[in-house]
Amino acid sequence: MSEIAINESVGTQPEDALPSATTVALVQLALACGGFGIGTGEFAIMGLLPNVAETFSVTTPQAGYVISAYALGVVVGAPVIAVLAAKMARRTLLLTLMLLFAVGNILSAVAPTFESFTFLRFVTGLPHGAYFGVAALVAASMVPVYRRARAVGRVMLGLTVATLLGTPLTTFFGQSLDWQVAFWSVGLVGLLTVALIWVYVPRDRVSEEASFLRELGAFRRPQVWLTLGIAAVGYGGMFAMFSYIASTTTKVAMLPESAVPIMLVLFGVGMNAGNFIGSWLADKSLLGTIGGSLIYNIVVLSTFALTAANPYMLGLSVFLVGCGFAAGPALQTRLMDVAADAQTLAAASNHSAFNIANAIGAWLGGLVIAWGYGFAATGYVGAALSFLGLFVFAASFRLERRGRSPQAV
Protein backbone atom coordinates (compact mmCIF):
# COMPACT_ATOMS: atom_id res chain seq x y z
CA MET A 1 0.00 0.00 0.00
CA SER A 2 1.32 3.42 -0.94
CA GLU A 3 2.11 6.10 1.59
CA ILE A 4 0.92 9.66 1.10
CA ALA A 5 1.16 12.87 3.06
CA ILE A 6 -2.37 13.84 4.00
CA ASN A 7 -1.60 15.62 7.23
CA GLU A 8 -0.95 19.03 5.72
CA SER A 9 -3.33 21.90 5.10
CA VAL A 10 -5.92 20.93 2.54
CA GLY A 11 -5.99 22.46 -0.88
CA THR A 12 -2.28 23.38 -1.00
CA GLN A 13 -0.81 20.51 -3.03
CA PRO A 14 0.10 21.01 -6.70
CA GLU A 15 -2.24 19.12 -9.03
CA ASP A 16 0.52 16.94 -10.47
CA ALA A 17 1.23 15.64 -6.93
CA LEU A 18 -2.35 14.56 -6.28
CA PRO A 19 -3.45 10.89 -6.38
CA SER A 20 -5.15 9.40 -9.43
CA ALA A 21 -8.89 9.79 -9.96
CA THR A 22 -9.42 6.08 -9.26
CA THR A 23 -7.59 6.27 -5.95
CA VAL A 24 -9.56 9.35 -4.93
CA ALA A 25 -12.87 7.69 -5.86
CA LEU A 26 -12.10 4.53 -3.85
CA VAL A 27 -11.04 6.57 -0.81
CA GLN A 28 -14.18 8.66 -1.02
CA LEU A 29 -16.28 5.48 -1.30
CA ALA A 30 -14.67 3.98 1.81
CA LEU A 31 -15.13 7.18 3.80
CA ALA A 32 -18.70 7.66 2.59
CA CYS A 33 -19.56 4.11 3.71
CA GLY A 34 -18.67 5.16 7.25
CA GLY A 35 -20.83 8.24 6.83
CA PHE A 36 -23.70 5.99 5.72
CA GLY A 37 -23.39 3.91 8.88
CA ILE A 38 -23.13 6.95 11.14
CA GLY A 39 -26.07 8.68 9.46
CA THR A 40 -28.24 5.59 9.68
CA GLY A 41 -27.39 5.07 13.34
CA GLU A 42 -28.00 8.71 14.21
CA PHE A 43 -31.29 9.25 12.36
CA ALA A 44 -32.98 5.83 12.52
CA ILE A 45 -33.71 6.25 16.22
CA MET A 46 -35.85 9.29 15.40
CA GLY A 47 -38.32 7.15 13.47
CA LEU A 48 -38.26 4.45 16.15
CA LEU A 49 -38.74 6.60 19.27
CA PRO A 50 -42.31 5.35 19.89
CA ASN A 51 -41.06 1.75 19.68
CA VAL A 52 -38.15 2.43 22.03
CA ALA A 53 -40.51 4.19 24.45
CA GLU A 54 -42.84 1.18 24.47
CA THR A 55 -40.02 -1.31 25.06
CA PHE A 56 -38.60 0.57 28.03
CA SER A 57 -41.96 1.86 29.35
CA VAL A 58 -41.13 5.57 29.02
CA THR A 59 -42.89 8.42 27.20
CA THR A 60 -41.87 9.46 23.68
CA PRO A 61 -40.37 12.78 24.89
CA GLN A 62 -38.41 10.83 27.52
CA ALA A 63 -37.20 8.43 24.85
CA GLY A 64 -35.94 11.51 23.02
CA TYR A 65 -33.23 11.76 25.69
CA VAL A 66 -31.29 9.03 23.87
CA ILE A 67 -30.97 11.42 20.91
CA SER A 68 -29.52 14.05 23.20
CA ALA A 69 -27.21 11.45 24.79
CA TYR A 70 -25.80 10.51 21.39
CA ALA A 71 -25.40 14.18 20.49
CA LEU A 72 -23.60 14.82 23.79
CA GLY A 73 -21.20 12.00 22.94
CA VAL A 74 -20.39 13.69 19.65
CA VAL A 75 -19.91 17.06 21.35
CA VAL A 76 -17.54 15.61 23.94
CA GLY A 77 -15.77 13.11 21.72
CA ALA A 78 -14.89 15.27 18.72
CA PRO A 79 -12.59 17.83 20.38
CA VAL A 80 -11.16 15.42 22.95
CA ILE A 81 -10.27 12.78 20.37
CA ALA A 82 -8.93 15.36 17.91
CA VAL A 83 -6.54 16.74 20.53
CA LEU A 84 -5.44 13.42 22.05
CA ALA A 85 -4.92 11.85 18.61
CA ALA A 86 -2.91 14.78 17.18
CA LYS A 87 0.16 12.54 16.75
CA MET A 88 -1.78 9.62 15.30
CA ALA A 89 -1.80 8.83 11.57
CA ARG A 90 -5.18 9.71 10.10
CA ARG A 91 -5.73 6.28 8.57
CA THR A 92 -5.10 4.62 11.93
CA LEU A 93 -7.41 7.10 13.64
CA LEU A 94 -10.20 6.45 11.13
CA LEU A 95 -9.92 2.68 11.68
CA THR A 96 -10.04 3.09 15.46
CA LEU A 97 -13.01 5.44 15.39
CA MET A 98 -15.09 3.26 13.11
CA LEU A 99 -14.35 0.13 15.14
CA LEU A 100 -15.56 1.88 18.29
CA PHE A 101 -18.68 3.03 16.46
CA ALA A 102 -19.45 -0.51 15.25
CA VAL A 103 -19.03 -2.06 18.69
CA GLY A 104 -21.12 0.66 20.33
CA ASN A 105 -24.05 -0.01 18.01
CA ILE A 106 -23.91 -3.76 18.48
CA LEU A 107 -23.95 -3.32 22.26
CA SER A 108 -26.84 -0.84 21.93
CA ALA A 109 -28.87 -3.59 20.28
CA VAL A 110 -28.61 -5.79 23.37
CA ALA A 111 -28.92 -3.11 26.08
CA PRO A 112 -31.14 -4.49 28.89
CA THR A 113 -32.42 -1.20 30.35
CA PHE A 114 -33.25 2.32 29.21
CA GLU A 115 -30.40 3.69 31.32
CA SER A 116 -27.83 1.34 29.78
CA PHE A 117 -29.20 2.03 26.30
CA THR A 118 -28.90 5.77 26.85
CA PHE A 119 -25.32 5.40 28.12
CA LEU A 120 -24.35 3.25 25.12
CA ARG A 121 -25.77 5.85 22.75
CA PHE A 122 -23.48 8.40 24.42
CA VAL A 123 -20.47 6.11 23.97
CA THR A 124 -21.39 5.39 20.35
CA GLY A 125 -21.54 9.11 19.63
CA LEU A 126 -17.96 9.72 20.79
CA PRO A 127 -16.23 8.83 17.46
CA HIS A 128 -18.86 10.50 15.25
CA GLY A 129 -17.46 14.03 14.97
CA ALA A 130 -13.80 13.06 14.83
CA TYR A 131 -14.54 10.55 12.06
CA PHE A 132 -16.32 13.05 9.84
CA GLY A 133 -13.74 15.75 10.57
CA VAL A 134 -10.74 13.58 9.72
CA ALA A 135 -12.52 12.01 6.73
CA ALA A 136 -13.29 15.48 5.34
CA LEU A 137 -9.66 16.54 5.72
CA VAL A 138 -8.41 13.39 3.99
CA ALA A 139 -10.86 13.80 1.11
CA ALA A 140 -10.14 17.52 0.64
CA SER A 141 -6.37 16.98 0.72
CA MET A 142 -6.58 14.69 -2.31
CA VAL A 143 -8.23 17.14 -4.76
CA PRO A 144 -7.45 20.63 -6.14
CA VAL A 145 -8.41 23.57 -3.94
CA TYR A 146 -11.34 24.60 -6.16
CA ARG A 147 -12.99 21.19 -5.61
CA ARG A 148 -12.63 20.93 -1.84
CA ALA A 149 -16.28 21.48 -0.96
CA ARG A 150 -17.39 18.90 -3.51
CA ALA A 151 -14.92 16.38 -2.08
CA VAL A 152 -16.28 17.05 1.39
CA GLY A 153 -19.79 16.73 -0.02
CA ARG A 154 -19.00 13.27 -1.41
CA VAL A 155 -17.90 12.11 2.03
CA MET A 156 -21.10 13.57 3.48
CA LEU A 157 -23.00 11.81 0.68
CA GLY A 158 -22.85 8.73 2.86
CA LEU A 159 -24.69 10.66 5.55
CA THR A 160 -27.34 11.98 3.17
CA VAL A 161 -27.84 8.62 1.44
CA ALA A 162 -28.37 7.19 4.91
CA THR A 163 -31.37 9.47 5.33
CA LEU A 164 -32.68 8.38 1.93
CA LEU A 165 -32.13 4.62 2.19
CA GLY A 166 -30.56 3.51 5.46
CA THR A 167 -32.89 5.32 7.83
CA PRO A 168 -36.20 4.45 6.09
CA LEU A 169 -35.19 0.80 5.66
CA THR A 170 -34.02 0.33 9.23
CA THR A 171 -37.13 2.15 10.44
CA PHE A 172 -39.36 -0.13 8.37
CA PHE A 173 -37.69 -3.32 9.57
CA GLY A 174 -37.41 -1.93 13.09
CA GLN A 175 -41.16 -1.36 13.19
CA SER A 176 -41.97 -4.66 11.47
CA LEU A 177 -39.54 -6.89 13.37
CA ASP A 178 -37.76 -5.28 16.31
CA TRP A 179 -36.16 -1.85 16.68
CA GLN A 180 -32.92 -3.50 17.83
CA VAL A 181 -32.48 -4.74 14.23
CA ALA A 182 -31.55 -1.18 13.27
CA PHE A 183 -28.53 -1.16 15.56
CA TRP A 184 -27.37 -4.62 14.55
CA SER A 185 -27.44 -3.43 10.92
CA VAL A 186 -25.52 -0.24 11.67
CA GLY A 187 -22.90 -2.22 13.59
CA LEU A 188 -22.33 -4.45 10.54
CA VAL A 189 -21.98 -1.40 8.26
CA GLY A 190 -19.36 -0.08 10.69
CA LEU A 191 -17.37 -3.31 10.43
CA LEU A 192 -17.61 -3.16 6.62
CA THR A 193 -16.22 0.37 6.72
CA VAL A 194 -13.25 -0.77 8.80
CA ALA A 195 -12.44 -3.29 6.04
CA LEU A 196 -12.82 -0.70 3.25
CA ILE A 197 -10.61 1.87 5.00
CA TRP A 198 -8.00 -0.82 5.63
CA VAL A 199 -7.92 -1.72 1.93
CA TYR A 200 -8.38 1.60 0.14
CA VAL A 201 -7.20 4.50 2.31
CA PRO A 202 -3.43 4.93 1.83
CA ARG A 203 -1.11 5.07 4.80
CA ASP A 204 -0.13 8.59 5.75
CA ARG A 205 2.73 10.33 7.52
CA VAL A 206 2.18 12.39 10.64
CA SER A 207 3.52 15.93 10.43
CA GLU A 208 6.52 16.47 12.71
CA GLU A 209 4.92 19.71 13.92
CA ALA A 210 1.68 17.99 14.95
CA SER A 211 0.84 18.31 18.63
CA PHE A 212 -2.14 18.69 20.91
CA LEU A 213 -1.09 22.27 21.68
CA ARG A 214 -1.16 23.18 17.99
CA GLU A 215 -4.63 21.69 17.64
CA LEU A 216 -5.84 23.63 20.67
CA GLY A 217 -4.73 26.76 18.85
CA ALA A 218 -7.90 26.52 16.76
CA PHE A 219 -9.87 27.89 19.69
CA ARG A 220 -7.79 31.07 19.69
CA ARG A 221 -9.36 32.12 16.40
CA PRO A 222 -12.63 34.07 16.57
CA GLN A 223 -13.86 32.95 13.16
CA VAL A 224 -13.61 29.31 14.29
CA TRP A 225 -15.92 30.06 17.21
CA LEU A 226 -18.34 32.04 15.06
CA THR A 227 -18.52 29.31 12.42
CA LEU A 228 -19.14 26.68 15.09
CA GLY A 229 -21.78 28.96 16.59
CA ILE A 230 -23.63 29.17 13.29
CA ALA A 231 -23.85 25.38 13.16
CA ALA A 232 -24.69 24.94 16.86
CA VAL A 233 -27.52 27.48 16.91
CA GLY A 234 -28.68 27.93 13.36
CA TYR A 235 -29.20 24.29 12.47
CA GLY A 236 -30.93 23.10 15.63
CA GLY A 237 -34.20 23.81 13.85
CA MET A 238 -33.88 20.89 11.47
CA PHE A 239 -33.40 18.54 14.42
CA ALA A 240 -36.25 20.08 16.42
CA MET A 241 -38.58 19.12 13.59
CA PHE A 242 -37.01 15.82 12.55
CA SER A 243 -36.62 14.37 16.05
CA TYR A 244 -40.39 14.07 16.36
CA ILE A 245 -41.31 13.42 12.74
CA ALA A 246 -42.81 10.01 13.53
CA SER A 247 -45.31 11.45 15.99
CA THR A 248 -46.02 14.47 13.78
CA THR A 249 -46.87 12.12 10.92
CA THR A 250 -49.24 9.93 12.93
CA LYS A 251 -50.72 12.38 15.45
CA VAL A 252 -50.87 15.66 13.50
CA ALA A 253 -51.30 14.60 9.87
CA MET A 254 -53.24 11.51 11.09
CA LEU A 255 -51.37 9.17 8.77
CA PRO A 256 -50.73 5.48 9.57
CA GLU A 257 -47.41 4.38 11.04
CA SER A 258 -46.47 2.95 7.65
CA ALA A 259 -46.24 6.52 6.33
CA VAL A 260 -43.31 7.35 8.64
CA PRO A 261 -40.68 5.69 6.37
CA ILE A 262 -42.11 7.69 3.45
CA MET A 263 -41.51 10.92 5.34
CA LEU A 264 -37.98 9.75 6.11
CA VAL A 265 -37.39 9.08 2.41
CA LEU A 266 -38.62 12.57 1.52
CA PHE A 267 -36.28 14.06 4.10
CA GLY A 268 -33.43 11.99 2.68
CA VAL A 269 -34.16 13.09 -0.88
CA GLY A 270 -34.06 16.67 0.33
CA MET A 271 -30.75 16.18 2.14
CA ASN A 272 -29.17 14.62 -0.94
CA ALA A 273 -30.41 17.45 -3.13
CA GLY A 274 -29.16 19.99 -0.62
CA ASN A 275 -25.77 18.28 -0.31
CA PHE A 276 -25.30 18.22 -4.09
CA ILE A 277 -26.40 21.79 -4.71
CA GLY A 278 -24.76 23.14 -1.56
CA SER A 279 -21.37 21.57 -2.39
CA TRP A 280 -21.40 23.20 -5.81
CA LEU A 281 -22.50 26.57 -4.44
CA ALA A 282 -19.92 26.43 -1.63
CA ASP A 283 -17.08 26.16 -4.15
CA LYS A 284 -18.45 29.42 -5.62
CA SER A 285 -19.30 31.31 -2.40
CA LEU A 286 -18.90 29.87 1.09
CA LEU A 287 -20.45 32.75 3.01
CA GLY A 288 -23.24 33.24 0.50
CA THR A 289 -24.22 29.58 0.78
CA ILE A 290 -24.21 29.64 4.59
CA GLY A 291 -26.19 32.87 4.94
CA GLY A 292 -28.69 31.97 2.25
CA SER A 293 -29.39 28.57 3.78
CA LEU A 294 -30.22 30.15 7.16
CA ILE A 295 -32.81 32.45 5.60
CA TYR A 296 -34.19 29.51 3.65
CA ASN A 297 -34.53 27.44 6.84
CA ILE A 298 -36.55 30.17 8.57
CA VAL A 299 -39.08 30.10 5.73
CA VAL A 300 -39.46 26.34 5.31
CA LEU A 301 -39.60 25.53 9.04
CA SER A 302 -42.33 28.13 9.53
CA THR A 303 -44.20 26.57 6.62
CA PHE A 304 -43.87 23.15 8.26
CA ALA A 305 -45.45 24.46 11.49
CA LEU A 306 -48.35 26.05 9.62
CA THR A 307 -49.18 23.14 7.33
CA ALA A 308 -48.18 19.94 9.16
CA ALA A 309 -51.81 18.81 9.53
CA ASN A 310 -52.10 18.48 5.75
CA PRO A 311 -50.44 15.21 4.63
CA TYR A 312 -49.34 16.59 1.27
CA MET A 313 -47.94 19.80 2.69
CA LEU A 314 -46.25 17.82 5.45
CA GLY A 315 -44.43 15.73 2.85
CA LEU A 316 -43.41 18.81 0.87
CA SER A 317 -42.21 20.63 3.98
CA VAL A 318 -40.18 17.63 5.16
CA PHE A 319 -38.46 17.51 1.76
CA LEU A 320 -37.73 21.24 1.81
CA VAL A 321 -36.37 21.14 5.37
CA GLY A 322 -34.04 18.33 4.29
CA CYS A 323 -32.71 20.57 1.50
CA GLY A 324 -31.43 22.90 4.23
CA PHE A 325 -28.47 20.51 4.62
CA ALA A 326 -26.93 22.52 1.76
CA ALA A 327 -24.86 24.40 4.34
CA GLY A 328 -23.12 21.26 5.64
CA PRO A 329 -20.20 21.13 3.15
CA ALA A 330 -19.91 24.93 3.23
CA LEU A 331 -19.48 25.07 7.01
CA GLN A 332 -16.97 22.21 6.97
CA THR A 333 -14.91 23.91 4.27
CA ARG A 334 -15.17 27.29 6.02
CA LEU A 335 -13.61 25.77 9.13
CA MET A 336 -10.73 24.45 7.04
CA ASP A 337 -10.11 27.99 5.82
CA VAL A 338 -10.15 29.72 9.20
CA ALA A 339 -8.42 27.04 11.31
CA ALA A 340 -4.93 27.50 9.79
CA ASP A 341 -2.69 24.68 11.12
CA ALA A 342 -5.22 23.32 13.64
CA GLN A 343 -7.55 21.77 11.11
CA THR A 344 -8.19 18.41 12.77
CA LEU A 345 -9.73 19.92 15.88
CA ALA A 346 -11.68 22.53 13.93
CA ALA A 347 -13.00 20.02 11.39
CA ALA A 348 -14.03 17.54 14.08
CA SER A 349 -15.63 20.28 16.16
CA ASN A 350 -17.96 21.10 13.28
CA HIS A 351 -19.82 17.90 14.03
CA SER A 352 -19.79 18.70 17.73
CA ALA A 353 -21.53 21.94 16.79
CA PHE A 354 -24.09 20.14 14.63
CA ASN A 355 -24.81 17.75 17.46
CA ILE A 356 -25.16 20.58 19.92
CA ALA A 357 -27.78 21.70 17.42
CA ASN A 358 -29.20 18.16 17.53
CA ALA A 359 -29.36 18.18 21.33
CA ILE A 360 -30.79 21.70 21.53
CA GLY A 361 -33.35 20.97 18.85
CA ALA A 362 -34.53 17.69 20.36
CA TRP A 363 -34.66 19.23 23.85
CA LEU A 364 -36.52 22.40 22.89
CA GLY A 365 -38.83 20.43 20.63
CA GLY A 366 -39.63 18.09 23.52
CA LEU A 367 -40.29 21.08 25.79
CA VAL A 368 -42.86 22.73 23.53
CA ILE A 369 -44.57 19.36 23.08
CA ALA A 370 -44.63 18.75 26.84
CA TRP A 371 -46.04 22.25 27.36
CA GLY A 372 -49.00 21.33 25.17
CA TYR A 373 -48.22 23.24 21.98
CA GLY A 374 -48.20 20.08 19.86
CA PHE A 375 -45.74 18.37 17.54
CA ALA A 376 -46.20 20.89 14.71
CA ALA A 377 -44.87 23.66 16.96
CA THR A 378 -41.39 22.17 16.60
CA GLY A 379 -41.29 24.04 13.28
CA TYR A 380 -41.58 27.38 15.07
CA VAL A 381 -38.77 26.32 17.41
CA GLY A 382 -36.68 25.55 14.34
CA ALA A 383 -37.42 28.89 12.69
CA ALA A 384 -36.45 30.75 15.87
CA LEU A 385 -33.15 28.87 16.12
CA SER A 386 -32.37 29.59 12.46
CA PHE A 387 -33.07 33.27 13.10
CA LEU A 388 -30.59 33.27 16.00
CA GLY A 389 -28.06 31.54 13.77
CA LEU A 390 -28.48 34.37 11.27
CA PHE A 391 -27.31 36.83 13.94
CA VAL A 392 -24.16 34.76 14.52
CA PHE A 393 -23.57 34.63 10.77
CA ALA A 394 -23.94 38.42 10.57
CA ALA A 395 -21.22 38.81 13.22
CA SER A 396 -18.90 36.51 11.26
CA PHE A 397 -19.64 38.36 8.03
CA ARG A 398 -18.96 41.75 9.60
CA LEU A 399 -15.65 40.49 10.98
CA GLU A 400 -14.75 39.22 7.52
CA ARG A 401 -15.67 42.49 5.87
CA ARG A 402 -13.60 44.52 8.32
CA GLY A 403 -10.59 42.57 7.12
CA ARG A 404 -9.62 41.24 10.52
CA SER A 405 -7.44 38.15 10.37
CA PRO A 406 -9.14 34.87 11.33
CA GLN A 407 -5.76 33.41 12.15
CA ALA A 408 -5.43 34.66 15.71
CA VAL A 409 -7.07 36.72 18.39
Side-chain angles (χ1 to χ4, degrees), residues 23-342:
T23 298
V24 171
L26 290 173
V27 170
Q28 290 176 351
L29 173 64
L31 299 175
C33 183
F36 177 80
I38 290 175
T40 302
E42 180 178 19
F43 292 120
I45 186 63
M46 297 176 182
L48 295 170
L49 275 184
N51 306 82
V52 173
E54 182 179 359
T55 297
F56 293 117
S57 300
V58 297
T59 66
T60 299
Q62 286 174 329
Y65 295 157
V66 302
I67 298 174
S68 297
Y70 182 93
L72 181 61
V74 181
V75 172
V76 173
V80 171
I81 292 172
V83 170
L84 294 181
K87 298 290 290 184
M88 183 181 292
R90 286 180 174 166
R91 177 177 178 271
T92 303
L93 180 55
L94 288 170
L95 288 168
T96 303
L97 293 171
M98 190 46 57
L99 184 60
L100 175 60
F101 176 79
V103 172
N105 276 284
I106 292 171
L107 292 177
S108 294
V110 297
T113 65
F114 182 69
E115 291 74 18
S116 62
F117 179 64
T118 303
F119 173 74
L120 285 167
R121 297 316 297 155
F122 167 79
V123 172
T124 306
L126 292 173
H128 176 132
Y131 176 85
F132 271 118
V134 175
L137 289 171
V138 170
S141 70
M142 300 177 75
V143 298
V145 63
Y146 55 86
R147 292 182 179 173
R148 292 174 307 153
R150 277 167 282 185
V152 173
R154 291 189 190 101
V155 173
M156 290 189 175
L157 186 64
L159 176 65
T160 57
V161 169
T163 63
L164 178 61
L165 297 176
T167 300
L169 286 173
T170 52
T171 299
F172 173 77
F173 286 110
Q175 291 174 344
S176 302
L177 301 174
D178 198 327
W179 61 264
Q180 286 92 340
V181 170
F183 295 101
W184 280 109
S185 302
V186 171
L188 292 176
V189 172
L191 293 177
L192 172 63
T193 302
V194 171
L196 291 174
I197 292 174
W198 181 271
V199 173
Y200 292 124
V201 176
R203 300 181 187 277
D204 60 294
R205 299 188 303 272
V206 180
S207 171
E208 294 181 359
E209 292 78 23
S211 69
F212 75 92
L213 289 177
R214 189 177 78 169
E215 291 298 331
L216 286 173
F219 290 145
R220 296 178 54 248
R221 301 175 175 90
Q223 285 286 23
V224 169
W225 283 106
L226 289 170
T227 305
L228 293 174
I230 293 169
V233 178
Y235 294 93
M238 180 178 70
F239 296 104
M241 181 280 290
F242 193 58
S243 296
Y244 302 97
I245 189 60
S247 295
T248 304
T249 300
T250 57
K251 296 181 180 180
V252 179
M254 305 306 292
L255 293 170
E257 191 178 61
S258 59
V260 174
I262 297 175
M263 293 298 167
L264 299 180
V265 168
L266 289 172
F267 186 80
V269 172
M271 285 191 73
N272 279 274
N275 183 60
F276 177 79
I277 297 171
S279 298
W280 182 82
L281 289 174
D283 277 328
K284 308 297 181 183
S285 173
L286 281 177
L287 292 178
T289 302
I290 295 168
S293 69
L294 287 166
I295 297 172
Y296 170 87
N297 285 344
I298 293 171
V299 175
V300 297
L301 285 163
S302 298
T303 302
F304 168 86
L306 291 168
T307 62
N310 183 298
Y312 298 103
M313 287 302 300
L314 175 63
L316 176 61
S317 296
V318 168
F319 166 77
L320 293 175
V321 172
C323 290
F325 188 75
L331 286 166
Q332 188 75 70
T333 306
R334 172 68 174 165
L335 280 168
M336 294 177 185
D337 286 344
V338 300
D341 58 357

